[in-house]
Amino acid sequence: MEYFTLMQPQNLKPPGPTKHFWRLLRSFSKDPLTFLAEAHQTYGDISYFKLGPMKTFLICDPDAIESVLVKHHRCFTKDMVTMSISNFAG
């Protein structure tokens, strides 16, 4: 299955947590791994949420990850934080 096509048209987003910004940020900052694991369990292999101004997609399916990172990498951009740590994190 080609997961990249699931995001078309651009105004469609996968399901994800819809808590108020501060609650979502608090949950994430308190225990990021638990937050991400619960989002995966609740919303499936691809979910979307906003952490402040950052639009975040959580992708857990290996085929979808390959689609984003290998097949369609030019269609996606990294945020400033990710770009700034890419020399260390890869």
Side-chain angles (χ1 to χ4, degrees):
M1 174 184 229
E2 183 60 51
Y3 286 93
F4 183 71
T5 59
L6 293 177
M7 298 302 119
Q8 305 296 330
Q10 298 226 355
N11 61 342
L12 295 178
K13 295 181 204 80
T18 57
K19 294 180 185 175
H20 185 269
F21 162 72
W22 292 112
R23 280 194 225 159
L24 192 64
L25 187 59
R26 192 174 333 134
S27 295
F28 181 80
S29 62
K30 182 178 176 183
D31 189 352
L33 190 55
T34 298
F35 175 86
L36 296 173
E38 287 175 356
H40 176 231
Q41 184 178 25
T42 305
Y43 301 105
D45 287 335
I46 302 174
S47 59
Y48 169 85
F49 51 92
K50 286 182 73 173
L51 291 174
M54 253 186 350
K55 297 173 183 173
T56 306
F57 289 85
L58 175 62
I59 303 174
C60 298
D61 179 82
D63 292 332
I65 294 169
E66 179 185 23
S67 181
V68 170
L69 296 179
V70 178
K71 296 178 182 176
H72 302 287
H73 66 279
R74 287 190 171 87
C75 299
F76 297 90
T77 58
K78 295 180 181 178
D79 62 85
M80 294 303 288
V81 173
T82 304
M83 288 190 315
S84 68
I85 66 168
S86 64
N87 289 336
F88 306 104

XYZ file of all heavy atoms in Angstrom:
731
model
N 0.846 -1.187 0.000
C 0.000 0.000 0.000
C 0.885 1.242 0.000
O 1.858 1.314 0.721
C -0.897 -0.016 1.238
C -1.701 1.248 1.405
S -2.644 1.204 2.936
C -4.202 1.680 2.302
N 0.555 2.200 -0.798
C 1.323 3.435 -0.879
C 0.723 4.452 0.074
O -0.289 5.072 -0.205
C 1.320 3.971 -2.312
C 2.155 5.205 -2.498
C 3.618 4.998 -2.148
O 4.227 4.050 -2.642
O 4.143 5.808 -1.367
N 1.338 4.606 1.233
C 0.797 5.465 2.284
C 0.855 6.941 1.927
O 0.085 7.725 2.419
C 1.537 5.229 3.598
C 1.150 3.934 4.229
C 1.870 2.779 3.995
C 0.035 3.851 5.050
C 1.500 1.575 4.571
C -0.342 2.654 5.629
C 0.399 1.528 5.384
O 0.026 0.349 5.938
N 1.796 7.308 1.075
C 1.939 8.721 0.726
C 0.647 9.269 0.134
O 0.281 10.403 0.386
C 3.094 8.887 -0.260
C 3.370 10.308 -0.629
C 3.928 11.174 0.298
C 3.066 10.775 -1.886
C 4.176 12.482 -0.038
C 3.317 12.085 -2.228
C 3.885 12.939 -1.296
N -0.077 8.472 -0.610
C -1.312 8.941 -1.244
C -2.442 9.145 -0.236
O -3.430 9.791 -0.549
C -1.779 7.957 -2.336
O -1.983 6.686 -1.745
C -0.757 7.852 -3.449
N -2.298 8.625 0.981
C -3.347 8.797 1.987
C -3.500 10.257 2.419
O -4.528 10.647 2.929
C -3.048 7.943 3.224
C -3.100 6.433 3.028
C -2.700 5.747 4.318
C -4.479 5.998 2.594
N -2.489 11.062 2.223
C -2.519 12.440 2.682
C -3.057 13.400 1.610
O -3.001 14.591 1.766
C -1.112 12.910 3.076
C -0.509 12.132 4.212
S -1.517 12.178 5.701
C -1.884 10.457 5.904
N -3.568 12.905 0.524
C -4.083 13.752 -0.545
C -5.589 13.907 -0.404
O -6.259 12.962 -0.056
C -3.753 13.129 -1.906
C -2.291 12.844 -2.108
C -1.435 14.088 -2.123
O -1.896 15.150 -2.515
N -0.211 13.982 -1.679
N -6.193 15.042 -0.635
C -5.555 16.335 -0.842
C -4.932 16.862 0.441
O -5.164 16.327 1.521
C -6.685 17.238 -1.313
C -7.908 16.635 -0.738
C -7.654 15.138 -0.670
N -4.193 17.942 0.343
C -3.364 18.420 1.438
C -4.148 18.845 2.675
O -3.591 18.904 3.753
C -2.494 19.568 0.949
C -1.571 19.103 -0.144
C -0.165 19.588 0.044
O 0.108 20.342 0.945
N 0.716 19.149 -0.811
N -5.412 19.163 2.556
C -6.160 19.608 3.727
C -6.613 18.449 4.609
O -7.134 18.676 5.689
C -7.355 20.469 3.322
C -8.337 19.719 2.449
O -8.007 18.690 1.877
N -9.533 20.243 2.331
N -6.427 17.218 4.181
C -6.794 16.062 5.001
C -5.645 15.694 5.922
O -4.497 15.681 5.519
C -7.137 14.864 4.114
C -8.365 15.010 3.229
C -8.549 13.769 2.377
C -9.596 15.235 4.072
N -5.968 15.398 7.160
C -4.962 14.984 8.121
C -5.418 13.677 8.756
O -6.608 13.446 8.925
C -4.797 16.044 9.217
C -4.253 17.357 8.739
C -4.123 18.301 9.932
C -4.159 19.725 9.521
N -5.455 20.278 9.262
N -4.476 12.827 9.142
C -4.871 11.606 9.848
C -5.403 11.958 11.242
O -5.193 13.076 11.731
C -3.572 10.812 9.939
C -2.480 11.742 9.620
C -3.059 12.912 8.904
N -6.083 11.037 11.895
C -6.605 11.308 13.236
C -5.467 11.468 14.235
O -4.339 11.046 13.976
C -7.434 10.066 13.551
C -6.833 8.988 12.720
C -6.344 9.667 11.465
N -5.781 12.072 15.363
C -4.775 12.236 16.404
C -5.362 12.927 17.613
O -6.533 13.310 17.627
N -4.542 13.090 18.658
C -5.009 13.739 19.882
C -5.494 15.158 19.598
O -4.872 15.892 18.827
C -3.770 13.773 20.774
C -2.798 12.836 20.164
C -3.153 12.698 18.737
N -6.597 15.534 20.225
C -7.162 16.864 19.993
C -7.284 17.653 21.293
O -8.070 18.589 21.364
C -8.547 16.759 19.339
O -9.387 15.965 20.177
C -8.464 16.147 17.962
N -6.524 17.283 22.291
C -6.549 18.017 23.562
C -6.171 19.473 23.320
O -5.516 19.805 22.330
C -5.541 17.428 24.543
C -5.818 16.041 25.006
C -4.720 15.619 25.974
C -4.862 14.182 26.381
N -3.746 13.749 27.225
N -6.532 20.317 24.256
C -6.101 21.708 24.217
C -4.575 21.739 24.188
O -3.913 20.871 24.757
C -6.630 22.453 25.449
C -6.320 23.902 25.416
N -5.179 24.408 25.968
C -6.989 24.946 24.879
C -5.148 25.711 25.785
N -6.244 26.068 25.131
N -4.013 22.724 23.529
C -2.571 22.838 23.338
C -1.770 22.590 24.610
O -0.823 21.814 24.633
C -2.240 24.217 22.746
C -0.806 24.596 22.899
C 0.158 23.967 22.135
C -0.409 25.554 23.816
C 1.495 24.297 22.273
C 0.925 25.895 23.956
C 1.876 25.263 23.178
N -2.139 23.259 25.712
C -1.347 23.141 26.938
C -1.404 21.736 27.523
O -0.414 21.219 28.029
C -1.796 24.162 27.983
C -1.453 25.551 27.554
C -2.322 26.536 27.194
C -0.144 26.110 27.390
N -1.645 27.669 26.815
C -0.301 27.432 26.930
C 1.147 25.623 27.579
C 0.786 28.264 26.675
C 2.221 26.457 27.328
C 2.038 27.759 26.878
N -2.562 21.097 27.471
C -2.675 19.717 27.979
C -1.850 18.756 27.131
O -1.187 17.862 27.648
C -4.131 19.273 27.999
C -4.876 19.782 29.180
C -6.186 19.040 29.323
N -7.205 20.027 29.593
C -8.480 19.862 29.393
N -8.925 18.732 28.891
N -9.335 20.800 29.670
N -1.912 18.952 25.830
C -1.148 18.100 24.917
C 0.348 18.276 25.160
O 1.089 17.293 25.277
C -1.505 18.470 23.475
C -1.048 17.526 22.383
C -1.714 16.177 22.526
C -1.379 18.120 21.033
N 0.786 19.511 25.266
C 2.199 19.788 25.505
C 2.654 19.239 26.857
O 3.735 18.656 26.968
C 2.464 21.298 25.436
C 3.917 21.732 25.503
C 4.715 21.106 24.370
C 4.007 23.247 25.438
N 1.809 19.378 27.868
C 2.138 18.850 29.202
C 2.268 17.326 29.152
O 3.203 16.758 29.701
C 1.083 19.267 30.213
C 1.487 19.008 31.639
C 0.504 19.555 32.662
N -0.249 20.703 32.173
C -1.559 20.855 32.302
N -2.274 19.953 32.932
N -2.170 21.911 31.832
N 1.326 16.663 28.506
C 1.378 15.199 28.392
C 2.640 14.752 27.667
O 3.301 13.806 28.081
C 0.163 14.676 27.625
O -1.011 14.924 28.313
N 2.952 15.450 26.593
C 4.126 15.087 25.808
C 5.416 15.334 26.590
O 6.294 14.484 26.641
C 4.154 15.863 24.491
C 5.330 15.501 23.629
C 5.312 14.356 22.852
C 6.458 16.308 23.604
C 6.402 14.021 22.062
C 7.546 15.977 22.813
C 7.516 14.829 22.044
N 5.526 16.492 27.223
C 6.765 16.823 27.927
C 6.958 15.987 29.193
O 8.085 15.710 29.591
C 6.826 18.309 28.246
O 5.778 18.677 29.095
N 5.860 15.553 29.818
C 5.957 14.740 31.035
C 6.544 13.364 30.730
O 7.410 12.873 31.447
C 4.567 14.594 31.664
C 4.555 13.809 32.946
C 3.163 13.740 33.522
C 3.130 12.876 34.756
N 1.772 12.744 35.274
N 6.065 12.727 29.658
C 6.530 11.383 29.300
C 6.342 11.183 27.794
O 5.339 10.626 27.353
C 5.745 10.344 30.095
C 6.305 8.946 29.946
O 7.218 8.733 29.116
O 5.830 8.053 30.670
N 7.315 11.634 26.981
C 7.164 11.579 25.521
C 6.924 10.171 24.979
O 6.090 9.979 24.099
C 8.483 12.139 24.990
C 9.108 12.858 26.117
C 8.578 12.262 27.374
N 7.634 9.187 25.504
C 7.482 7.831 24.986
C 6.083 7.283 25.230
O 5.466 6.695 24.330
C 8.534 6.910 25.604
C 8.649 5.524 24.997
C 8.883 5.587 23.494
C 9.761 4.744 25.666
N 5.553 7.494 26.428
C 4.190 7.048 26.728
C 3.189 7.794 25.857
O 2.253 7.191 25.323
C 3.867 7.251 28.217
O 4.767 6.444 28.984
C 2.442 6.864 28.534
N 3.372 9.096 25.703
C 2.477 9.886 24.851
C 2.448 9.318 23.430
O 1.370 9.105 22.860
C 2.939 11.349 24.819
C 2.139 12.197 23.881
C 0.955 12.792 24.294
C 2.561 12.409 22.583
C 0.208 13.576 23.420
C 1.828 13.187 21.703
C 0.642 13.771 22.125
N 3.614 9.054 22.857
C 3.680 8.545 21.487
C 3.117 7.130 21.387
O 2.410 6.800 20.425
C 5.124 8.598 20.981
C 5.720 9.999 20.862
C 7.194 9.920 20.513
C 4.964 10.846 19.859
N 3.399 6.288 22.378
C 2.863 4.916 22.377
C 1.342 4.924 22.469
O 0.660 4.160 21.769
C 3.476 4.115 23.521
N 0.793 5.792 23.310
C -0.665 5.880 23.430
C -1.299 6.443 22.165
O -2.377 5.991 21.751
C -1.045 6.727 24.642
C -0.790 6.012 25.961
C -1.042 6.895 27.173
O -1.353 8.097 27.020
O -0.928 6.361 28.306
N -0.642 7.406 21.533
C -1.158 7.944 20.269
C -1.183 6.854 19.209
O -2.164 6.710 18.468
C -0.311 9.128 19.799
N -0.138 6.042 19.153
C -0.098 4.939 18.184
C -1.193 3.922 18.473
O -1.907 3.486 17.571
C 1.274 4.273 18.210
C 1.375 3.087 17.320
N 1.840 1.887 17.759
C 1.043 2.904 16.014
C 1.813 1.012 16.772
N 1.324 1.602 15.703
N -1.339 3.566 19.725
C -2.354 2.572 20.108
C -3.764 3.091 19.837
O -4.635 2.349 19.382
C -2.198 2.216 21.580
C -3.136 1.137 22.043
C -2.895 0.783 23.503
O -2.395 1.575 24.288
N -3.270 -0.433 23.864
N -4.006 4.366 20.100
C -5.343 4.942 19.965
C -5.701 5.295 18.524
O -6.819 5.046 18.082
C -5.466 6.212 20.838
O -5.129 5.876 22.182
C -6.864 6.786 20.779
N -4.755 5.879 17.793
C -5.069 6.442 16.471
C -4.498 5.661 15.299
O -4.761 5.988 14.154
C -4.601 7.895 16.403
C -5.246 8.744 17.466
C -4.538 9.140 18.591
C -6.582 9.107 17.363
C -5.132 9.902 19.583
C -7.189 9.858 18.355
C -6.454 10.248 19.462
O -7.055 10.988 20.429
N -3.697 4.650 15.558
C -3.196 3.815 14.474
C -1.792 4.181 14.030
O -1.074 4.934 14.683
N -1.411 3.623 12.873
C -0.040 3.729 12.387
C 0.369 5.131 11.961
O 1.560 5.444 11.927
C 0.175 2.776 11.206
C 0.249 1.330 11.652
O 0.603 1.090 12.817
O -0.048 0.446 10.832
N -0.587 5.967 11.596
C -0.279 7.343 11.204
C -1.222 8.264 11.960
O -2.438 8.126 11.876
C -0.447 7.558 9.679
C 0.454 6.599 8.906
C -0.126 8.995 9.306
C 0.259 6.640 7.402
N -0.646 9.192 12.717
C -1.477 10.151 13.447
C -0.868 11.543 13.330
O 0.288 11.709 12.939
C -1.637 9.744 14.914
O -0.390 9.668 15.563
N -1.665 12.542 13.679
C -1.273 13.942 13.539
C -1.645 14.699 14.801
O -2.693 14.459 15.389
C -2.005 14.563 12.343
C -1.882 16.056 12.259
C -0.780 16.633 11.639
C -2.851 16.887 12.796
C -0.659 18.016 11.563
C -2.738 18.263 12.718
C -1.639 18.821 12.102
O -1.514 20.179 12.029
N -0.764 15.581 15.224
C -1.074 16.481 16.334
C -0.167 17.690 16.233
O 0.838 17.672 15.530
C -0.917 15.776 17.694
C 0.398 15.068 17.876
C 1.478 15.710 18.455
C 0.544 13.754 17.472
C 2.685 15.054 18.627
C 1.752 13.088 17.642
C 2.820 13.742 18.217
N -0.562 18.756 16.927
C 0.242 19.973 16.948
C 0.838 20.160 18.333
O 0.146 20.051 19.324
C -0.607 21.190 16.586
C -0.948 21.261 15.120
C -1.747 22.484 14.789
C -0.848 23.697 14.843
N -1.504 24.921 14.384
N 2.138 20.411 18.354
C 2.822 20.779 19.593
C 3.242 22.228 19.427
O 4.280 22.528 18.856
C 4.044 19.894 19.835
C 3.752 18.440 20.173
C 5.032 17.638 20.245
C 3.002 18.349 21.496
N 2.392 23.116 19.883
C 2.632 24.538 19.639
C 2.490 24.803 18.155
O 1.549 24.344 17.516
N 3.464 25.483 17.568
C 3.385 25.758 16.135
C 3.832 24.578 15.275
O 3.697 24.604 14.058
C 4.345 26.940 15.962
C 5.340 26.775 17.050
C 4.572 26.177 18.207
N 4.369 23.520 15.911
C 4.883 22.389 15.154
C 3.776 21.406 14.787
O 3.121 20.839 15.663
C 5.952 21.644 15.962
C 7.315 21.865 15.437
S 8.639 20.910 16.210
C 8.002 20.118 17.615
N 3.587 21.219 13.491
C 2.653 20.199 13.015
C 3.424 18.889 12.961
O 4.460 18.782 12.319
C 2.144 20.580 11.632
C 1.371 21.875 11.655
C 1.015 22.320 10.267
C 0.299 23.654 10.344
N 0.072 24.226 9.026
N 2.902 17.893 13.684
C 3.643 16.661 13.879
C 2.865 15.461 13.369
O 1.700 15.291 13.684
C 3.949 16.467 15.387
O 4.597 17.641 15.874
C 4.817 15.274 15.631
N 3.544 14.631 12.587
C 2.985 13.369 12.131
C 3.759 12.253 12.802
O 4.984 12.224 12.759
C 3.116 13.222 10.609
C 2.208 14.129 9.844
C 2.581 15.430 9.563
C 0.976 13.689 9.407
C 1.754 16.282 8.861
C 0.128 14.524 8.708
C 0.518 15.820 8.436
N 3.036 11.344 13.445
C 3.641 10.165 14.040
C 3.388 9.010 13.077
O 2.237 8.664 12.803
C 3.016 9.868 15.409
C 3.466 8.579 16.092
C 4.960 8.605 16.368
C 2.684 8.368 17.375
N 4.452 8.451 12.545
C 4.342 7.376 11.560
C 5.016 6.144 12.142
O 6.211 6.159 12.419
C 4.989 7.779 10.222
C 4.333 9.063 9.716
C 4.877 6.651 9.205
C 4.977 9.643 8.483
N 4.241 5.063 12.308
C 4.742 3.858 12.960
C 4.801 2.646 12.039
O 5.389 1.640 12.409
C 3.875 3.533 14.180
S 3.911 4.834 15.424
N 4.208 2.717 10.885
C 4.202 1.589 9.962
C 5.483 1.597 9.121
O 5.826 2.622 8.533
C 2.982 1.680 9.044
C 2.955 0.543 8.058
O 2.510 -0.559 8.432
O 3.402 0.751 6.910
N 6.207 0.479 9.060
C 7.459 0.444 8.298
C 7.312 0.852 6.828
O 8.177 1.550 6.294
C 7.913 -1.012 8.416
C 7.269 -1.514 9.658
C 5.947 -0.790 9.752
N 6.239 0.432 6.166
C 6.036 0.812 4.764
C 5.808 2.316 4.619
O 6.297 2.950 3.686
C 4.861 0.054 4.152
C 5.137 -1.433 4.008
O 6.326 -1.808 3.860
O 4.176 -2.221 4.052
N 5.068 2.887 5.551
C 4.821 4.331 5.511
C 6.099 5.100 5.812
O 6.373 6.136 5.201
C 3.724 4.702 6.506
N 6.898 4.606 6.734
C 8.176 5.254 7.049
C 9.085 5.231 5.832
O 9.703 6.237 5.480
C 8.847 4.573 8.262
C 8.011 4.811 9.522
C 10.274 5.059 8.445
C 8.422 3.970 10.707
N 9.148 4.099 5.152
C 9.958 4.008 3.929
C 9.440 4.978 2.871
O 10.221 5.644 2.185
C 9.940 2.586 3.374
C 10.746 2.452 2.095
C 10.662 1.084 1.453
O 9.682 0.344 1.708
O 11.586 0.765 0.690
N 8.135 5.087 2.755
C 7.550 5.999 1.784
C 7.973 7.437 2.043
O 8.340 8.169 1.128
C 6.021 5.870 1.815
O 5.440 6.716 0.870
N 7.956 7.844 3.306
C 8.325 9.222 3.662
C 9.829 9.444 3.544
O 10.278 10.422 2.949
C 7.848 9.556 5.089
C 8.439 10.873 5.564
C 6.332 9.607 5.147
N 10.617 8.546 4.115
C 12.060 8.771 4.205
C 12.841 8.432 2.942
O 13.902 9.002 2.706
C 12.647 7.975 5.377
C 12.157 8.368 6.758
C 12.802 7.475 7.815
C 12.439 9.831 7.049
N 12.309 7.510 2.128
C 13.069 7.069 0.960
C 12.407 7.491 -0.350
O 13.007 8.198 -1.159
C 13.255 5.528 0.985
C 14.003 5.053 -0.241
C 13.983 5.100 2.251
N 11.167 7.081 -0.541
C 10.513 7.303 -1.845
C 10.099 8.748 -2.078
O 10.157 9.238 -3.197
C 9.291 6.402 -1.966
C 9.623 4.922 -1.971
C 8.370 4.091 -2.042
C 8.698 2.609 -1.992
N 7.487 1.789 -1.957
N 9.644 9.437 -1.032
C 9.080 10.791 -1.197
C 9.757 11.823 -0.302
O 9.143 12.816 0.073
C 7.575 10.763 -0.911
C 6.824 9.815 -1.772
N 6.584 10.049 -3.100
C 6.291 8.605 -1.506
C 5.912 9.038 -3.615
N 5.723 8.143 -2.663
N 11.025 11.607 0.009
C 11.698 12.488 0.969
C 11.742 13.946 0.528
O 11.750 14.842 1.349
C 13.111 11.982 1.261
C 14.034 12.046 0.091
N 14.036 11.090 -0.895
C 14.958 12.960 -0.249
C 14.938 11.402 -1.807
N 15.520 12.539 -1.437
N 11.718 14.211 -0.747
C 11.770 15.603 -1.222
C 10.451 16.353 -1.003
O 10.412 17.569 -1.074
C 12.147 15.630 -2.687
C 13.607 15.285 -2.913
C 14.042 15.560 -4.344
N 15.466 15.433 -4.474
C 16.103 14.299 -4.727
N 15.411 13.188 -4.860
N 17.414 14.270 -4.840
N 9.395 15.640 -0.703
C 8.087 16.260 -0.478
C 7.904 16.726 0.966
O 6.911 17.370 1.280
C 6.972 15.277 -0.819
S 6.980 14.745 -2.533
N 8.836 16.388 1.834
C 8.698 16.690 3.246
C 9.835 17.595 3.711
O 10.948 17.501 3.216
C 8.703 15.400 4.081
C 7.546 14.506 3.763
C 7.633 13.537 2.780
C 6.350 14.644 4.442
C 6.562 12.717 2.478
C 5.267 13.835 4.144
C 5.375 12.872 3.157
N 9.532 18.463 4.671
C 10.558 19.338 5.223
C 10.720 19.045 6.711
O 9.782 18.602 7.377
C 10.180 20.822 5.064
O 8.924 21.055 5.703
C 10.094 21.202 3.599
N 11.915 19.324 7.215
C 12.183 19.180 8.638
C 11.998 20.533 9.303
O 12.280 21.565 8.709
C 13.613 18.702 8.869
C 13.896 17.320 8.334
C 15.334 16.941 8.616
C 15.642 15.561 8.060
N 17.049 15.196 8.281
N 11.553 20.514 10.545
C 11.428 21.762 11.293
C 12.822 22.248 11.689
O 13.815 21.540 11.562
C 10.536 21.563 12.522
C 11.133 20.554 13.479
O 11.970 20.957 14.294
O 10.766 19.369 13.393
N 12.907 23.476 12.183
C 14.199 24.088 12.523
C 14.939 23.318 13.619
O 16.151 23.177 13.561
C 13.993 25.544 12.950
C 13.499 26.433 11.814
S 14.585 26.437 10.376
C 15.948 27.376 11.021
N 14.214 22.803 14.599
C 14.866 22.050 15.675
C 15.502 20.787 15.119
O 16.657 20.481 15.401
C 13.863 21.709 16.806
C 14.493 20.782 17.831
C 13.337 22.973 17.441
N 14.762 20.052 14.299
C 15.288 18.824 13.714
C 16.488 19.118 12.831
O 17.486 18.401 12.869
C 14.191 18.099 12.908
O 13.078 17.876 13.760
C 14.693 16.778 12.365
N 16.411 20.177 12.037
C 17.537 20.522 11.174
C 18.777 20.889 12.007
O 19.890 20.537 11.657
C 17.167 21.662 10.226
C 16.208 21.213 9.150
S 15.905 22.380 7.811
C 15.660 23.927 8.616
N 18.560 21.570 13.130
C 19.695 22.002 13.943
C 20.398 20.838 14.638
O 21.600 20.920 14.925
C 19.275 23.055 14.957
O 18.439 22.484 15.927
N 19.687 19.749 14.913
C 20.322 18.596 15.562
C 20.651 17.480 14.584
O 21.162 16.437 14.994
C 19.457 18.049 16.721
C 18.140 17.468 16.199
C 19.234 19.081 17.788
C 17.384 16.669 17.230
N 20.415 17.683 13.293
C 20.612 16.594 12.325
C 22.060 16.150 12.229
O 22.322 15.004 11.903
C 20.069 16.994 10.947
O 20.806 18.079 10.439
N 23.010 17.031 12.517
C 24.417 16.609 12.495
C 24.700 15.579 13.583
O 25.589 14.753 13.433
C 25.335 17.814 12.678
C 25.347 18.705 11.468
O 25.059 18.274 10.368
N 25.672 19.962 11.673
N 23.937 15.647 14.672
C 24.152 14.723 15.771
C 23.202 13.525 15.706
O 23.577 12.417 16.036
C 23.949 15.432 17.121
C 24.788 16.659 17.247
C 24.229 17.906 17.122
C 26.148 16.555 17.459
C 25.004 19.046 17.241
C 26.940 17.683 17.562
C 26.366 18.949 17.452
N 21.963 13.767 15.305
C 20.942 12.719 15.349
C 20.794 11.969 14.039
O 20.181 10.923 13.992
C 19.595 13.342 15.742
N 21.288 12.520 12.956
C 21.177 11.851 11.661
C 20.005 12.312 10.859
O 19.198 13.098 11.190
